[in-house]
Amino acid sequence: MKRVGIAFLAAIAAAGVIGVSANPVPSSTQAVSSKPSGTSKSNANPTPFVIPSLQEWEGAKGQWKLSAATRIVVDAAYANGGALDAGNMYMRNPSNLQQFAATFQSDISAVTGIDVEVVVSSKYGKNDIFLTLGAEKKDPKLNHEGYLLDISNKGITVQGVTSRGSFWGTRSLLQMLILADEDGYALPQGHARDYPNYNERLFMQDIARKPIPMSDLEEYATLTSFYKYNTLLQHYNDNPAVQVKGVMKDWQEKYAGFRLRSDNPEYSMYASNDTAYTKQDMRQFQDFVKARGLDLIPEIDAPAHSLCFTKFHPEWSINSDTARGDWLDLGNPAVEPFLKGVWTEFVDWFDSSQISIGADEYDPTKGDLARTFINSMHDFLAGLNRTTRMWGSEVRLPGTVEIDSDIVTTYWDASYSNANALVARGQKVSNLNAPDAYLVPRTYAYEDFIDSRKIYNLWEPWVFDILDKTNTSRNLRPDEPLLTGGGFANWNDFLSESVTRVELYDRVSKAADVFGEKLWTGAKNIDQVSYDKWAPLAKKLRENIPGITLRRRPASKGQYLISYDFEDGAAADGSDNANNGELHNGATVVEAGEGHGRAVKMTADSYISTPIEGIAYPYAVGMWVKPSGAQQAKAVLLESGDGRVLVSNSTSPTVTFVQDDNEYNTQIILPADQWSHLAFSADGTTTRVFYNFKHAASVNYYNPRWDVLQNSTMQVTAPLRTIGSANGNSFSGLVDGFFAMDRASYAGEMAFIGKHYANALP
């Protein structure tokens, strides 16, 4: 390859408590009196920016600095937790103060590079962060997740009512460190009194229709915990929307997900082959979320959304052409005992005292049958020492049987449920009202990306009609005692191929911060900090959450992340990042000729490894390729855990992108035994594919659902871990001039870069 300085290329290319806790809370903690937010002495430190905003801050003067001498000191009197811990969470055996300290220790190291020690002691010094309990003794009106934070020249003290409350104080400190000057990690001295307005701050995720690895679920837990959510609701079974049997004759052939894999053969048959979690998986996950202050509520949805069962037992579905194939027939005497058997099998996998049975979108002609079933499940779960939760459904299930008022309703749609009617009959309500709180990738009925400006300025948990907030018949009172809180939901209606893992995280993360703000603080902050001032700081926090890898935005000292010209006889990186590659299994630098200088010769077993897993948009990736003869099926050009770029798929010799095991064909064919330039770039809207410097294709997802039937553009995550594959199915031939940029590019620039890597034309 012709050697061209990367700097030259870069220069050219750059031309008060509201509501009642869903968990039991001592009655003395129900009301909070507060000073005006942000009160401080003259010339004292202003309120530090965190999400959610601090409820009250009294600034002092001066700063406290994190240093190598800093320790996290856990009060010996409360190291194993406090008396109020267990009674204020859904889950058994909540994490204690010492376990939360370990999480905080790891986070500080990830953010600052400073390794702090955790010690248990009743004494702490001026360099230390002291975690303790007993705040309710000083402040009886502080609710169970509230905490007192004192930052002074004597050290930092975080004092919670519960261990979880103290942990929320560490989230505030962690965010202050992220936004602090990295040269000193100095925090403003002052005193905060902080507490949530709502006691349930929930993120619901549909993991039935999108296979999600357990490692990703842990990152969603890390994300939501960062913003002081306290509840995860996981939806374990579902299927794409199916039409009635008389229209959709092949309903049994549709995808159905069930994500729990029992070793009991009576139930193991229902587990999804692509992704399912074992009892041990769920044990480890629950331990992980507890150490981040979260509860996990499991949901197995029935009697609708149950294709995972009816496809095995079609005789259990409603025998009518006007019924959907995923509706279980509650009139069949085998169905209810089966569903109780399912919960008997899985209930002990979970530490939660609350179970969600779903119970939404069922046959409206069977209202009383469904209502009777709901009450029966409630009684059954009560016998297992569990409370019951369901999606709001009573309006669409008309009947005379009263649904038990002890069942908590997750409200989602005014045509299915009536919030005022629910609280009038004594039922607790959690607000996940669609469309405002519904994130459904690539949908047209709900939000593809949550409108965070709208949520910041208009939404609160008591608001059920965002366009008519003063209408008391459509909204609850802000101080309604039966309003537990709310949150937002991620549904994956169009299955795995409609959204990649990285695209999904991008969407969820951009919703989590703004809902976290409003769930904790309500509208209190929006008059003091406009959305336009809030959003840039929110973005900086979102991009620096410790423990998150799904952003796939590797650090780069310039716009070139990687540049390999192979002229040195190896894969030395010509960018400023030293992302050097390594040649494996016979990958050999050879004289290529034809204006290319040196290139790497690849066989099916060869590959070049890089230190980068991948990059999410915006980016541009390109390379020269000369395939040698016919290629094996699914021959890999680029690969990582996020996906692959193939020079051939299973049926044709066309360039194909693979993301999360879903294939997206471009119909571009790389001719054998001649050089071609292949590049692709994602800008946040489209992934464009360039063949010989011309825009030849875009990566699209075709939605085959009967009510959509159209293409949507995909944002491919560029796989960068290997050129070729470490699994023995690499493409064969020559590669040259490989580069990855951390911004999007276009055809004219691709031509310039490609032609300067090699003195050749395609």
Side-chain angles (χ1 to χ4, degrees):
M1 170 178 297
K2 178 182 177 183
R3 180 180 295 276
V4 178
I6 195 69
F8 171 73
L9 290 178
I12 299 296
V17 175
I18 300 172
V20 172
S21 174
N23 309 319
V25 183
S27 58
S28 63
T29 70
Q30 293 301 311
V32 171
S33 60
S34 64
K35 301 176 184 177
S37 178
T39 58
S40 63
K41 300 175 183 177
S42 177
N43 299 320
N45 293 318
T47 305
F49 183 92
V50 297
I51 300 175
S53 304
L54 298 174
Q55 295 275 18
E56 302 173 35
W57 169 262
E58 184 175 354
K61 297 180 181 179
Q63 297 176 319
W64 177 93
K65 291 187 176 182
L66 184 77
S67 71
T70 297
R71 303 176 303 165
I72 300 172
V73 180
V74 180
D75 191 342
Y78 299 108
N80 294 321
L84 298 177
D85 284 358
N88 286 305
M89 295 185 74
Y90 285 123
M91 296 173 77
R92 299 187 300 266
N93 304 316
S95 289
N96 58 43
L97 210 55
Q98 193 165 2
Q99 291 165 325
F100 284 134
T103 301
F104 188 34
Q105 176 190 38
S106 175
D107 291 338
I108 289 176
S109 178
V111 167
T112 69
I114 298 173
D115 294 324
V116 298
E117 182 184 5
V118 174
V119 298
V120 176
S121 176
S122 59
K123 297 180 180 179
Y124 66 99
K126 64 180 182 179
N127 296 312
D128 297 335
I129 302 170
F130 184 57
L131 304 183
T132 186
L133 301 181
E136 75 282 359
K137 298 173 184 176
K138 291 183 179 179
D139 193 341
K141 293 185 178 181
L142 197 64
N143 67 30
H144 69 98
E145 289 184 274
Y147 64 93
L148 304 174
L149 171 64
D150 189 70
I151 306 173
S152 74
N153 56 12
K154 297 180 180 180
I156 294 179
T157 300
V158 182
Q159 184 175 34
V161 175
T162 60
S163 295
R164 177 154 66 176
S166 288
F167 181 67
W168 298 146
T170 72
R171 301 305 84 188
S172 295
L173 290 172
L174 181 64
Q175 293 186 17
M176 292 181 204
L177 288 171
I178 290 172
L179 296 177
D181 183 348
E182 295 181 8
D183 292 334
Y185 292 108
L187 304 186
Q189 293 188 21
H191 176 78
R193 181 175 184 267
D194 201 19
Y195 47 86
N197 283 355
Y198 293 92
N199 290 295
E200 181 175 85
R201 304 176 304 283
L202 182 146
F203 170 54
M204 175 272 159
Q205 191 163 38
D206 169 11
I207 61 176
R209 290 178 283 197
K210 171 72 178 174
I212 300 180
M214 186 59 72
S215 59
D216 287 12
L217 295 182
E218 291 181 351
E219 294 200 23
Y220 285 111
T222 297
L223 168 73
T224 49
S225 168
F226 185 76
Y227 298 117
K228 303 187 178 80
Y229 288 71
N230 63 3
T231 307
L232 301 176
L233 173 59
Q234 288 187 335
H235 180 76
Y236 293 126
N237 68 296
D238 215 326
N239 42 268
V242 294
Q243 295 172 285
V244 296
K245 291 180 176 181
V247 175
M248 186 175 281
K249 302 294 186 181
D250 62 345
W251 61 271
Q252 283 181 263
E253 306 305 316
K254 302 301 180 182
Y255 182 89
F258 186 79
R259 299 298 175 203
L260 303 178
R261 185 181 302 281
S262 172
D263 56 9
N264 181 343
E266 187 174 352
Y267 299 100
S268 60
M269 60 191 289
Y270 305 112
S272 298
N273 291 327
D274 49 10
T275 299
Y277 315 116
T278 66
K279 185 176 183 179
Q280 182 61 26
D281 291 334
M282 296 313 301
R283 173 72 273 139
Q284 292 174 355
F285 180 65
Q286 289 174 98
D287 290 343
F288 183 90
V289 304
K290 284 181 185 180
R292 284 148 187 84
L294 292 159
D295 288 318
L296 173 66
I297 298 175
E299 176 173 286
I300 298 175
D301 200 350
H305 303 279
S306 295
L307 186 60
C308 60
F309 303 133
T310 60
K311 71 188 309 178
F312 287 97
H313 307 285
E315 72 279 7
W316 290 357
S317 67
I318 297 174
N319 185 22
S320 170
D321 282 348
T322 62
R324 286 174 16 184
D326 66 341
W327 286 346
L328 286 162
D329 183 1
L330 292 176
N332 186 317
V335 167
E336 186 174 318
F338 167 75
L339 292 172
K340 290 178 178 177
V342 169
W343 274 117
T344 300
E345 176 68 17
F346 292 109
V347 71
D348 286 337
W349 286 29
F350 299 98
D351 292 344
S352 177
S353 62
Q354 189 166 102
I355 300 295
S356 178
I357 62 171
D360 61 316
E361 298 186 299
Y362 188 59
D363 186 345
T365 69
K366 300 183 182 297
D368 270 338
L369 195 62
R371 288 165 172 251
T372 300
F373 164 77
I374 290 166
N375 288 340
S376 178
M377 290 300 294
H378 166 69
D379 293 341
F380 166 73
L381 290 171
L384 299 176
N385 297 314
R386 304 301 200 277
T387 61
T388 303
R389 188 184 193 107
M390 63 177 284
W391 290 95
S393 302
E394 76 283 354
V395 171
R396 292 285 189 96
L397 293 175
T400 59
V401 175
E402 286 287 331
I403 295 174
D404 196 299
S405 61
D406 287 338
I407 298 173
V408 176
T409 295
T410 309
Y411 182 100
W412 70 282
D413 190 294
S415 68
Y416 279 82
S417 195
N418 183 302
N420 281 280
L422 288 169
V423 300
R425 56 189 300 273
Q427 204 156 347
K428 291 180 180 178
V429 177
S430 181
N431 182 4
L432 274 71
N433 191 31
D436 305 311
Y438 261 38
L439 192 165
V440 187
R442 298 203 162 81
T443 186
Y444 302 96
Y446 299 111
E447 302 281 2
D448 185 17
F449 282 85
I450 291 292
D451 184 343
S452 58
R453 181 184 294 273
K454 178 179 73 173
I455 298 303
Y456 186 82
N457 288 321
L458 298 175
W459 187 87
E460 291 186 66
W462 60 270
V463 175
F464 291 77
D465 186 344
I466 205 167
L467 300 178
D468 194 6
K469 295 171 64 173
T470 61
N471 188 333
T472 57
S473 68
R474 298 182 63 83
N475 301 287
L476 295 180
R477 302 190 322 272
D479 61 348
E480 169 55 57
L482 292 174
L483 176 62
T484 64
F488 75 105
N490 160 223
W491 294 101
N492 296 304
D493 288 22
F494 300 139
L495 305 182
S496 179
E497 59 265 31
S498 69
V499 63
T500 72
R501 294 165 51 216
V502 176
E503 285 183 304
L504 183 60
Y505 176 81
D506 182 51
R507 285 161 166 77
V508 171
S509 67
K510 290 175 179 175
D513 52 7
V514 70
F515 276 104
E517 173 72 29
K518 302 306 289 289
L519 287 163
W520 184 278
T521 315
K524 186 174 184 178
N525 191 51
I526 63 175
D527 292 334
Q528 302 174 52
V529 181
S530 69
Y531 178 80
D532 288 332
K533 291 182 179 179
W534 181 87
L537 292 171
K539 181 175 183 289
K540 184 171 182 180
L541 288 176
R542 185 169 63 243
E543 293 177 350
N544 290 280
I545 302 173
I548 298 297
T549 67
L550 282 169
R551 284 193 64 246
R552 295 294 193 268
R553 294 295 298 170
S556 182
K557 295 179 180 178
Q559 59 190 329
Y560 281 86
L561 178 65
I562 296 175
S563 175
Y564 299 155
D565 65 12
F566 307 117
E567 290 299 313
D568 60 350
D573 184 13
S575 78
D576 295 329
N577 300 302
N579 287 323
N580 298 320
E582 294 184 16
L583 279 60
H584 302 269
N585 296 356
T588 307
V589 177
V590 299
E591 293 292 340
E594 301 180 86
H596 281 267
R598 292 180 174 180
V600 175
K601 183 178 181 180
M602 306 278 290
T603 66
D605 293 323
S606 303
Y607 66 97
I608 305 167
S609 62
T610 85
I612 304 298
E613 178 70 13
I615 184 170
Y617 74 88
Y619 67 81
V621 173
M623 62 196 306
W624 287 93
V625 185
K626 185 179 181 181
S628 58
Q631 300 291 310
Q632 61 180 323
K634 298 190 176 183
V636 176
L637 186 60
L638 295 171
E639 187 171 57
S640 77
D642 295 314
R644 288 160 284 160
V645 179
L646 309 178
V647 299
S648 59
N649 58 43
S650 57
T651 60
S652 64
T654 55
V655 173
T656 301
F657 289 81
V658 181
Q659 299 275 284
D660 305 345
D661 294 325
N662 302 302
E663 293 189 358
Y664 308 90
N665 188 6
T666 67
Q667 299 184 347
I668 295 171
I669 297 175
L670 301 180
D673 302 316
Q674 69 181 64
W675 285 104
S676 299
H677 194 269
L678 182 68
F680 55 103
S681 176
D683 60 7
T685 302
T686 305
T687 303
R688 295 177 174 86
V689 187
F690 303 92
Y691 174 61
N692 289 340
F693 315 131
K694 295 181 180 180
H695 178 203
S698 296
V699 181
N700 290 328
Y701 154 69
Y702 179 72
N703 191 328
R705 207 170 93 167
W706 73 91
D707 56 348
V708 182
L709 300 176
Q710 71 180 58
N711 277 319
S712 298
T713 57
M714 301 290 293
Q715 293 297 300
V716 167
T717 303
L720 300 178
R721 179 61 70 190
T722 59
I723 302 170
S725 172
N727 299 312
N729 57 326
S730 299
F731 90 104
S732 299
L734 299 176
V735 296
D736 196 6
F738 176 77
F739 71 90
M741 300 171 66
D742 71 350
R743 63 170 178 81
S745 188
Y746 54 93
E749 187 177 51
M750 291 291 189
F752 175 84
I753 296 172
K755 290 176 182 178
H756 279 78
Y757 270 113
N759 186 20
L761 294 173

